[in-house]
Amino acid sequence: MNINHFLSYKLAFTALLLLFNLGIYAHGESKVHIVYMGTRQHDDAQLTTSAHHQILTSVLGSEEAARDSIIYSYKHGFSGFAAKLTKSQAKKIAELPDVVHVIPNHLYKLHTTRSWDYLGLSTSSPPTNLLHQSNMGDSVIIGVLDTGIWPESEAYNDKGLGPIPSKWKGHCQSSTDFDPAKACNRKLIGAKYFIKGLEAELGRPIIKDPSFLTKEFASPRDRNGHGTHTSSTAGGSFSPNASYHGLAYRTVRGGAPKARLAMYKVCWDWPRGGCDFADVIKGIDEAIHDGVDILSLSLGTNTPQFAAVDMHSIGFPSFHAVMNGITVVCSGGNDGPIPQTVDDTSPWIITVAASSIDRSFPTLITLGNNRTFTGQSLYTGKETGFISIVHQESSDFEDNHYCDTLNTNDTWAAGKVVLCFLVKGDENDLGTALQVVQVVGGLGLIAAKNPTRTLDYYASDFPSIGVSFDIGAQLLDIRFFSRNPQVKLSPTRTHIGKPVSTHIASFSSRGPNSVAPAILKPDIAAPGVNILAAVPPSETPYEFESGTSMAAPHVSGIVALLKSLHPHWSPAAIKSALVTTAWQTDPHSGEPIIAEGNTDKIADPFDFGGGLVNANAAKDPGLVYDMGFSDYVFSYLCPMGYNTSAIGRIINGFVTCANKMPSLVDFNVPSLTIPSLRKTVTVKRTVTNVGPVNSKYKAFIEPPLGITIKVKPETLIFNSSTKKISFTLTISTSHKYTTGYYFGSLTWTDGVHKVRSPISVRTEFPELAG
């Protein structure tokens, strides 16, 4: 779609939306129609409007009837009008030679910042949609552990909400800049902060330290913006007319707009930023007491992790949350695309990878001869006019033409647009490069790099654009072979839909699980790239952010909807429903989901777990792989080698692990991962029927390359007395040498439900010393 067509589409959509918002409805025989006439025939807008009136007058018979009929005249980006017409009048106008077509008016859906519509959770969807069946998550309480919250944001308005749930035991903590009477309401029902762990680590109180107070709030209030962004993504209220300086203009809302929110501030921007583990544990503890239904944590540890990571991370405090029926959702980390970097790997946690959505931000680069290239950016400034483009020349003995080698001595960049290549560094170097170019007086930056969807670094009114290496190479040729090469950089536009497809973000941490390789991680993927949500107001009250931090609250919002619809489902059942119903292909185009990296590839379970979250399928999964207390203790903690005294302290009881320890591959997760297959193995799983009482499921297997899988029984029959059935999978390999992981799936189906479990198998033989 070229930019003119895009603008025309945008204007047509805006007009239809205005028609709805103004409450203009058809009366009697006349109904509103949109008459589209294509490109304007006149530069003078008044002449265009006159032409519209003339058409209506010719059909309706008088100027007075035309004036009464017309609603809008579209006269800027394209030509057309909206008018009240009978069916026969609309037909006559459609037959006129200047008319492209006539469209009957219809209700356009109230768009969010796109990610929720993209996931099939539109407010204009049918009543059978999960969003409506769950009453938008009403009365479900989402606890968020993060950097705090900005309570004055429109995202936390409580319009249309009922009383605070009676089970709620929490409160809002008072401080000099946080008055609970004003800050909290029926949406934001709890807000606390925890800093004693950080103070203990520093060896002194800092809550009244002037240097601390210049960078932080000694209260639940958010200075960083991360907590406001994540909490509003999970459960924010409807906030109309939101955008980032005009980009992605929509109504912002969370996944569960009627859910209640509680913020536990455990992360601080001082001295260097971070979340003290002691404070995090206290936050989880308080949340369990307060009565949250869901815990959403967009934080984690560094790679490498301890072998006993459950002991050294949020694993065990979250275990207690899960044992109290609280579903815990965590971000998987931003260390991708390196394998085995996924974080928060405890099996009772839902670990989330980050994907893109079907929205892009094309930005034009125009040469002096009017040739154009398209990059991606979030540039919100004005068109630059033509500026000379420069690139640092280097010899074979120098290595100074990359983005990460730009420095404040590069005065040659003053007054120019700089072209650089990001080859050796990572995307974090873009932020430094942008600062350097501005410091030395540069007027713009074009960064050539392996394309990804992450654009946070370009979110500015300073001209900066990311392009692919091939476009960068063409610009480099033009730079060297033209006398005075110049470029003009245009403001970014917003594009939704075709041809933009789903990618797993390059930064999203990857499996396999480095702690327990037989447990698949991540579990699921959700939108986490260029997500627009609320932040503390500075230049704008909404900003784009990217990271698995943004993906996790998407899943938390969906879990709130599921919890509202199925209040008795366990955290394991909810996790199973998400994993076994996920999309492996783009939900709109059907194309494979691509995993970004040094070389892009089709995504596999180590990139996205079960796939991209599919909320409407998860509400009715058919079967679930459920687990409870004894499963976690005897099928995970014992096989992981935790001693019985430690387990006993965790559960406050006596535990005896079996002499013949069960294998982790038998742990009843909704996936199968075999990290070292040599001989034939048999594994067991148990499924619980949550669909129609009388159901019959058949097994379909897509085996990994060179792997044979036999399921027994091949048919599962459920009735009023049989709600759970166990089955076995016998797996063998035909490979004679050690391989990498190959992937497949097991799907149980009754003709309506498809309960799909991802399978990951690596054949491994011992290497002989010689």
Side-chain angles (χ1 to χ4, degrees):
M1 180 184 292
N2 67 39
I3 199 68
N4 289 328
H5 290 163
F6 173 70
L7 288 171
S8 298
Y9 169 85
K10 190 173 180 182
L11 281 171
F13 162 75
T14 303
L16 284 170
L17 187 61
L18 285 169
L19 286 171
F20 169 68
N21 288 339
L22 288 174
I24 300 174
Y25 298 94
H27 296 281
E29 195 176 348
S30 294
K31 294 184 178 181
V32 177
H33 290 73
I34 309 301
V35 179
Y36 173 53
M37 300 175 63
T39 303
R40 289 182 302 159
Q41 300 299 308
H42 309 282
D43 291 332
D44 187 330
Q46 189 59 47
L47 289 176
T48 302
T49 299
S50 297
H52 300 160
H53 279 271
Q54 290 172 13
I55 289 173
L56 277 172
T57 300
S58 67
V59 172
L60 302 183
S62 71
E63 293 181 2
E64 183 179 358
R67 285 194 299 270
D68 292 338
S69 172
I70 196 165
I71 299 168
Y72 286 110
S73 176
Y74 309 130
K75 54 192 177 183
H76 300 295
F78 68 103
S79 177
F81 58 90
K84 292 178 286 186
L85 303 169
T86 64
K87 187 175 181 180
S88 61
Q89 290 167 346
K91 185 179 179 181
K92 287 181 181 179
I93 292 177
E95 293 171 350
L96 296 175
D98 292 336
V99 173
V100 178
H101 54 229
V102 177
I103 312 165
N105 191 35
H106 55 284
L107 181 64
Y108 260 56
K109 56 188 177 182
L110 189 64
H111 281 98
T112 66
T113 65
R114 186 57 193 170
S115 56
W116 297 114
D117 287 1
Y118 165 75
L119 292 175
L121 293 173
S122 167
T123 54
S124 61
S125 57
T128 54
N129 188 281
L130 173 61
L131 185 67
H132 301 302
Q133 285 189 323
S134 65
N135 194 22
M136 301 188 185
D138 190 19
S139 297
V140 174
I141 303 169
I142 304 173
V144 181
L145 273 71
D146 217 298
T147 63
I149 199 162
W150 193 267
E152 290 81 11
S153 170
E154 184 65 17
Y156 308 114
N157 78 74
D158 63 356
K159 298 171 185 174
L161 293 181
I164 294 172
S166 58
K167 68 176 182 178
W168 179 243
K169 300 177 183 178
H171 66 276
C172 288
Q173 189 173 353
S174 178
S175 66
T176 54
D177 53 36
F178 199 93
D179 180 2
K182 297 178 181 179
C184 293
N185 55 20
R186 292 170 297 172
K187 163 59 73 173
L188 179 59
I189 63 174
K192 301 177 182 180
Y193 67 94
F194 306 90
I195 197 171
K196 291 182 180 179
L198 177 60
E199 288 184 323
E201 198 68 38
L202 294 171
R204 61 189 177 88
I206 59 172
I207 205 75
K208 295 182 180 180
D209 188 320
S211 63
F212 170 79
L213 293 173
T214 60
K215 295 184 177 181
E216 261 293 359
F217 295 111
S219 74
R221 186 173 293 279
D222 186 12
R223 172 82 73 175
N224 176 284
H226 191 274
T228 302
H229 200 282
T230 57
S231 58
S232 63
T233 298
S237 299
F238 290 92
S239 303
N241 306 320
S243 71
Y244 176 74
H245 295 294
L247 291 176
Y249 180 86
R250 295 288 185 271
T251 292
V252 174
R253 68 171 174 87
K258 291 188 177 181
R260 315 308 169 94
L261 290 169
M263 174 57 68
Y264 301 86
K265 183 176 179 179
V266 297
C267 303
W268 301 84
D269 251 8
W270 196 90
R272 293 181 301 274
C275 320
D276 186 86
F277 187 33
D279 295 331
V280 173
I281 295 174
K282 182 61 176 174
I284 295 174
D285 186 45
E286 287 285 314
I288 294 171
H289 166 268
D290 291 345
V292 303
D293 299 299
I294 298 147
L295 273 174
S296 186
L297 296 90
S298 292
L299 48 91
T301 57
N302 293 324
T303 302
Q305 302 178 62
F306 289 95
V309 68
D310 302 302
M311 290 285 193
H312 294 88
S313 71
I314 61 169
F316 276 106
S318 65
F319 174 81
H320 291 288
V322 169
M323 291 303 100
N324 279 275
I326 299 168
T327 300
V328 181
V329 182
C330 293
S331 52
N334 299 335
D335 293 324
I338 302 170
Q340 293 188 295
T341 53
V342 65
D343 196 8
D344 293 331
T345 55
S346 298
W348 42 83
I349 289 172
I350 300 175
T351 308
V352 188
S355 73
S356 64
I357 63 174
D358 62 341
R359 180 175 63 194
S360 65
F361 298 94
T363 310
L364 287 181
I365 302 169
T366 306
L367 305 182
N369 61 2
N370 284 328
R371 182 182 178 189
T372 60
F373 296 98
T374 301
Q376 293 285 317
S377 182
L378 294 173
Y379 170 48
T380 58
K382 296 180 179 180
E383 192 170 75
T384 63
F386 285 102
I387 304 170
S388 295
I389 182 172
V390 293
H391 177 266
Q392 171 74 329
E393 296 184 26
S394 62
S395 71
D396 292 340
F397 300 100
E398 296 175 317
D399 193 21
N400 59 0
H401 55 283
Y402 298 117
C403 296
D404 54 304
T405 59
L406 290 170
N407 61 73
T408 52
N409 293 323
D410 292 330
T411 54
W412 49 265
K416 308 290 195 304
V417 171
V418 176
L419 170 66
C420 69
F421 289 75
L422 186 66
V423 178
K424 295 186 177 182
D426 61 28
E427 290 190 332
N428 291 324
D429 293 319
L430 287 175
T432 303
L434 277 165
Q435 289 179 346
V436 167
V437 171
Q438 292 179 72
V439 166
V440 300
L443 298 181
L445 176 70
I446 299 174
K449 55 187 280 293
N450 186 34
T452 64
R453 299 291 175 81
T454 310
L455 300 175
D456 302 45
Y457 297 105
Y458 307 109
S460 171
D461 59 0
F462 180 77
S464 57
I465 301 175
V467 298
S468 61
F469 281 126
D470 59 318
I471 291 178
Q474 292 180 65
L475 290 171
L476 191 60
D477 281 348
I478 293 165
R479 158 72 183 88
F480 282 113
F481 297 110
S482 299
R483 287 186 177 182
N484 183 26
Q486 292 185 322
V487 294
K488 178 173 65 177
L489 308 183
S490 299
T492 298
R493 303 288 187 181
T494 304
H495 177 83
I496 292 174
K498 293 172 63 175
V500 185
S501 60
T502 305
H503 286 203
I504 299 300
S506 175
F507 61 74
S508 186
S509 290
R510 306 299 209 262
N513 185 338
S514 63
V515 178
I519 306 297
L520 178 64
K521 290 289 176 174
D523 296 299
I524 199 77
V529 177
N530 305 327
I531 302 302
L532 184 69
V535 292
S538 53
E539 295 180 2
T540 172
Y542 304 95
E543 286 185 2
F544 290 106
E545 291 190 18
S546 295
T548 54
S549 285
M550 284 64 249
H554 275 84
V555 172
S556 299
I558 290 170
V559 169
L561 301 180
L562 293 173
K563 192 78 174 176
S564 179
L565 187 64
H566 302 290
H568 302 298
W569 277 11
S570 70
I574 290 174
K575 174 178 171 179
S576 174
L578 294 172
V579 172
T580 61
T581 60
W583 285 298
Q584 292 79 52
T585 57
D586 184 282
H588 301 286
S589 70
E591 294 293 324
I593 294 174
I594 300 299
E596 295 177 347
N598 294 330
T599 301
D600 290 357
K601 65 181 182 66
I602 294 176
D604 60 49
F606 295 154
D607 301 312
F608 62 10
L612 176 66
V613 64
N614 181 352
N616 281 302
K619 72 178 181 180
D620 182 22
L623 307 175
V624 295
Y625 294 82
D626 205 359
M627 286 190 287
F629 174 82
S630 62
D631 297 288
Y632 292 119
V633 171
F634 297 107
S635 298
Y636 180 75
L637 298 181
C638 285
M640 281 293 289
Y642 296 111
N643 64 61
T644 54
S645 61
I647 298 173
R649 288 193 295 272
I650 293 166
I651 67 170
N652 193 27
F654 181 75
V655 172
T656 301
C657 294
N659 291 329
K660 185 180 179 182
M661 207 70 74
S663 171
L664 268 185
V665 297
D666 288 319
F667 192 44
N668 202 45
V669 290
S671 58
L672 174 62
T673 304
I674 303 179
S676 183
L677 179 65
R678 192 179 318 154
K679 300 177 182 178
T680 298
V681 298
T682 299
V683 303
K684 179 184 176 183
R685 289 289 187 274
T686 300
V687 288
T688 301
N689 182 23
V690 293
V693 173
N694 298 304
S695 301
K696 181 179 179 180
Y697 284 83
K698 291 186 177 181
F700 291 88
I701 294 174
E702 294 183 26
L705 179 67
I707 304 298
T708 299
I709 301 178
K710 295 181 180 179
V711 60
K712 185 177 181 180
E714 295 181 349
T715 302
L716 306 178
I717 299 176
F718 297 91
N719 52 44
S720 58
S721 59
T722 304
K723 297 181 179 179
K724 292 188 177 184
I725 298 177
S726 296
F727 63 90
T728 59
L729 294 166
T730 302
I731 302 106
S732 58
T733 180
S734 63
H735 296 290
K736 305 301 181 185
Y737 296 88
T738 296
T739 70
Y741 279 95
Y742 294 116
F743 305 100
S745 64
L746 162 68
T747 302
W748 291 101
T749 181
D750 61 353
V752 176
H753 305 90
K754 292 183 178 180
V755 189
R756 182 185 182 276
S757 294
I759 297 175
S760 313
V761 180
R762 178 176 63 180
T763 301
E764 187 177 50
F765 296 97
E767 296 182 12
L768 299 177

